[in-house]
């Protein structure tokens, strides 16, 4: 039996998380990993208890939906809420992080960012990651990484 790589495993998890997104403009998922263990996950959506984009539409200002919290931030906030350290952890994200998420990831001590799709890759974000020594790697999810026919019954 062939096993999928760790990168594909964690990126698949991020894509599953993205399926929970409540923003209609872009679905994003993020998985924070330390020592090959998932410590948190997040997707872009509204603050708990507030209206969601899927219910009331996106709240767009300057071509950006301000109703949602980004997937990376939700994953980091989950760690903060439950007292899980993020220093030296890695994050797998379906899309390249925005500039604000980039800064938060660096401040949280994330040492590597793996992303599946380019998305408005801000030059300053790339520079900040480089200056902070954060590894950034493009890791596409292979289309058939989850093949249910290979699962024994």
């Amino acid at each position: 039996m062939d096993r999928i790589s760790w990168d594909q495993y964690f990126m698949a998890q991020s894509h599953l998380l993205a399926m929970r997104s409540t923003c209609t403009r872009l679905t994003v998922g993020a998985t924070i990993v330390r020592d090959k263990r998932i410590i948190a996950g997040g997707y872009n959506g509204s603050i708990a208890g507030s209206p969601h984009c899927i219910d009331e539409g996106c709240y767009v200002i300057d071509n950006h939906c301000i109703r949602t919290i980004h997937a990376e931030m939700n994953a980091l906030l989950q760690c903060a809420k439950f007292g899980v350290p993020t220093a030296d952890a890695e994050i797998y994200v379906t899309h390249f992080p925005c500039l604000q998420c980039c800064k938060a990831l660096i401040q949280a001590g994330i040492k590597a960012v793996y992303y599946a799709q380019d998305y408005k890759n801000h030059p300053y974000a790339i520079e900040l990651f480089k200056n902070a020594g954060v590894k950034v790697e493009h890791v596409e999810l292979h289309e058939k990484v989850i093949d249910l026919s290979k699962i024994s019954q």
Side-chain angles (χ1 to χ4, degrees):
M1 176 172 93
D2 291 332
R3 291 173 29 158
I4 64 172
S5 70
W6 286 112
D7 283 345
Q8 289 297 299
Y9 173 73
F10 296 128
M11 193 57 75
Q13 178 67 34
S14 294
H15 281 271
L16 287 171
L17 283 161
M19 294 171 71
R20 292 279 308 149
S21 172
T22 61
C23 187
T24 56
R25 298 180 76 217
L26 183 68
T27 59
V28 180
T31 305
I32 300 178
V33 174
R34 188 177 40 253
D35 299 324
K36 300 207 180 341
R37 300 288 181 262
I38 296 170
I39 61 172
Y43 52 87
N44 56 332
S46 297
I47 294 172
S50 291
H52 292 277
C53 298
I54 58 174
D55 299 323
E56 295 190 9
C58 290
Y59 186 179
V60 179
I61 295 180
D62 295 330
N63 200 32
H64 187 77
C65 180
I66 63 168
R67 187 182 302 281
T68 61
I69 299 171
H70 290 187
E72 303 93 327
M73 292 300 292
N74 265 329
L76 288 173
L77 291 168
Q78 186 180 75
C79 287
K81 185 175 184 177
F82 294 106
V84 178
T86 54
D88 295 324
E90 303 170 324
I91 191 165
Y92 288 78
V93 192
T94 57
H95 295 76
F96 189 87
C98 75
L99 183 56
Q100 296 304 316
C101 287
C102 161
K103 292 188 278 186
L105 293 169
I106 292 168
Q107 285 296 96
I110 298 295
K111 68 178 182 180
V113 175
Y114 303 96
Y115 68 98
Q117 295 176 0
D118 289 314
Y119 183 73
K120 300 180 182 179
N121 303 27
H122 198 287
Y124 188 53
I126 295 166
E127 180 183 336
L128 288 173
F129 281 141
K130 181 180 176 185
N131 291 343
V134 174
K135 176 183 177 180
V136 178
E137 187 176 325
H138 183 232
V139 176
E140 286 186 43
L141 179 66
H142 297 150
E143 191 172 317
K144 292 196 173 190
V145 73
I146 301 174
D147 184 354
L148 298 179
S149 69
K150 290 187 176 182
I151 298 174
S152 334
Q153 296 187 6

